[in-house]
Amino acid sequence: MYIFMGTPELKLVEENYYIKIDEIKQIKSNAYFVKTKDGKEFFLKVSRVDKEHVDFIIKIFSHLKNTSFKSHLIDFQKTIDGGFYFLDNHKKVYLLCKWIDGRSADFRNVYDLRRVVSILHHLHLASLSFAEEIKDSFYPSYQEVFCRKYSQVIQMKNIIHQKDNLSYFDEIFLNVLSRFEDRFVESMHMMKKVEDYFKEENQKVLIHHDPAHHNFIFSEKGVYLIDFDYAMVDYSVHDFVNLGVRVLKTNDWDRNMFRIYLKLLQDKNILNKFWLQTFWILMYFPQEIWQVGFQYYFEKQPWAEEYFLKRLKGSERIQAGKEMIIKEFAGGIFKWC
């Protein structure tokens, strides 16, 4: 028996799901393969997502299970009290579902990429009524999101300038901002020009918000979409920008593969004028640079400085790569704004 959780936690899982664990293996920091004594196999996820968001995820599943998208979902196992999860004394959330033998999507493979685009598009269409139900909930505009993140970047600079002694990361981060800070301002300016027109042409949907290759499981029975931890109501363009950047990174910024990706979106009739303009602006925004700074200065993640430096260097490469693609495919970021 390979145990990567403490005995008390294992006992809680057994008690809440009325199972006897024979084997448990950690496959990610918060995910486990579980095999029971009667030979059943499960996927166990343990996270610190707040209860309110877990309830939102369950609400998503309840809606999607009544649509044609249900074939892409893996059912949650019910606890002994009929719920879909339980909380321990530390407010960690435990979710259990059937184990699916399969492989992750390969973004270098056109067949896989076509299926992934189709599944995301299917999710968006299947969730239109769900998004409509919660349309009164407050979701900031892209302009507001850009403005908030840029304000945080300014705060990061102030934090650095208030220090008596700068770390090496502080110095490198300031250097990166000196070269890319204008992109934050330009993104806000361009989004202000197109967002109202974009909203007139597009409806909000449920987006997955983390279309990583490992969240698409290809099995003999079909393709499953997993891990809705970051799901939210937004516009489809947000999911497809995130997917597009992942495709580019996986394929070492190969232009031909990205051209294929855009053609797949076109084949699904996803593209329209202001959708595509918004797509390029979202891609242009230095999201990755902001994220590294946010994790270092605001979240204060307990990672080694070498790791932060590596991620910061990677964020620079990503921003340069995105701008190269935008220049080639959109004719330059200011051509149409």
Side-chain angles (χ1 to χ4, degrees):
M1 185 173 180
Y2 302 91
I3 299 177
F4 292 85
M5 298 172 64
T7 301
E9 288 84 0
L10 286 178
K11 188 174 181 182
L12 275 175
V13 174
E14 291 182 326
E15 290 174 349
N16 278 274
Y17 286 103
Y18 203 64
I19 59 176
K20 290 296 182 182
I21 297 174
D22 180 57
E23 181 181 349
I24 182 165
K25 294 181 181 179
Q26 189 171 22
I27 53 178
K28 289 201 301 184
S29 61
N30 64 342
Y32 302 84
F33 166 81
V34 172
K35 187 173 183 178
T36 63
K37 291 187 182 298
D38 58 359
K40 294 179 181 177
E41 296 178 341
F42 296 101
F43 175 85
L44 173 66
K45 184 166 185 179
V46 185
S47 62
R48 295 189 182 277
V49 179
D50 62 85
K51 182 181 181 299
E52 183 178 312
H53 190 68
V54 178
D55 289 335
F56 177 66
I57 295 170
I58 299 302
K59 188 176 180 180
I60 290 169
F61 269 74
S62 296
H63 171 82
L64 292 175
K65 288 297 289 184
N66 291 314
T67 72
S68 57
F69 195 79
K70 63 184 178 183
S71 61
H72 298 301
L73 298 174
I74 302 173
D75 287 331
F76 292 122
Q77 297 295 122
K78 287 192 175 182
T79 61
I80 57 174
D81 63 1
F84 288 99
Y85 64 90
F86 73 90
L87 299 169
D88 67 12
N89 292 331
H90 302 288
K91 296 188 177 180
K92 288 186 293 187
V93 178
Y94 292 71
L95 286 159
L96 191 73
C97 64
K98 183 180 177 182
W99 178 266
I100 300 292
D101 283 321
R103 62 173 179 84
S104 299
D106 181 0
F107 290 164
R108 294 183 176 89
N109 183 304
V110 176
Y111 167 80
D112 280 16
L113 190 55
R114 182 180 290 111
R115 292 297 305 276
V116 165
V117 166
S118 180
I119 288 167
L120 270 188
H121 184 49
H122 191 176
L123 169 68
H124 300 154
L125 294 178
S127 65
L128 277 167
S129 61
F130 177 85
E132 183 69 18
E133 287 176 11
I134 56 176
K135 66 180 180 180
D136 292 333
S137 300
F138 174 72
Y139 289 95
S141 68
Y142 291 140
Q143 293 177 65
E144 290 169 325
V145 172
F146 285 178
C147 184
R148 172 173 54 81
K149 291 182 177 180
Y150 181 53
S151 295
Q152 290 167 342
V153 167
I154 299 300
Q155 291 177 57
M156 293 171 201
K157 290 174 63 177
N158 290 337
I159 289 170
I160 295 171
H161 291 313
Q162 289 171 9
K163 290 184 176 182
D164 292 329
N165 297 300
L166 303 190
S167 69
Y168 185 56
F169 180 86
D170 292 331
E171 295 174 354
I172 298 299
F173 189 71
L174 283 176
N175 181 265
V176 170
L177 287 183
S178 70
R179 287 181 287 126
F180 291 106
E181 186 174 349
D182 60 339
R183 273 65 160 181
F184 289 95
V185 178
E186 290 164 359
S187 298
M188 290 188 291
H189 175 71
M190 289 183 288
M191 190 61 78
K192 183 177 181 180
K193 288 188 174 184
V194 306
E195 189 164 15
D196 286 343
Y197 299 107
F198 165 79
K199 287 180 176 179
E200 289 178 7
E201 291 184 347
N202 297 277
Q203 292 177 272
K204 283 190 174 180
V205 297
L206 177 78
I207 68 167
H208 185 270
H209 206 201
D210 187 22
H213 70 284
H214 54 259
N215 285 330
F216 297 87
I217 306 300
F218 283 66
S219 76
E220 292 182 356
K221 293 183 178 180
V223 184
Y224 298 91
L225 180 58
I226 64 171
D227 197 349
F228 283 75
D229 279 7
Y230 301 100
M232 62 184 290
V233 171
D234 201 342
Y235 294 97
S236 66
V237 66
H238 195 164
D239 255 350
F240 286 117
V241 167
N242 287 342
L243 178 59
V245 173
R246 290 177 184 276
V247 169
L248 284 165
K249 288 164 60 181
T250 301
N251 289 279
D252 299 319
W253 304 92
D254 183 273
R255 296 166 177 81
N256 289 330
M257 197 62 181
F258 193 71
R259 188 172 287 109
I260 290 169
Y261 175 64
L262 291 179
K263 180 64 166 57
L264 293 173
L265 298 183
Q266 185 177 36
D267 290 345
K268 289 289 182 183
N269 294 316
I270 294 170
L271 307 183
N272 58 51
K273 178 182 177 182
F274 293 109
W275 192 100
L276 194 55
Q277 290 183 359
T278 303
F279 178 96
W280 294 125
I281 298 170
L282 288 172
M283 181 177 283
Y284 186 69
F285 184 80
Q287 171 70 18
E288 294 77 13
I289 293 172
W290 164 83
Q291 187 171 41
V292 175
F294 187 81
Q295 290 168 332
Y296 187 89
Y297 294 105
F298 285 79
E299 293 183 338
K300 299 185 185 299
Q301 294 288 353
W303 302 330
E305 183 152 305
E306 291 79 8
Y307 179 70
F308 274 111
L309 288 167
K310 180 180 178 181
R311 292 197 62 228
L312 183 58
K313 184 172 288 187
S315 72
E316 288 184 82
R317 288 196 296 268
I318 291 170
Q319 185 64 25
K322 292 192 300 184
E323 292 183 22
M324 173 193 71
I325 291 295
I326 290 167
K327 183 176 182 181
E328 178 158 339
F329 286 86
I333 198 67
F334 296 109
K335 182 177 180 180
W336 38 263
C337 268

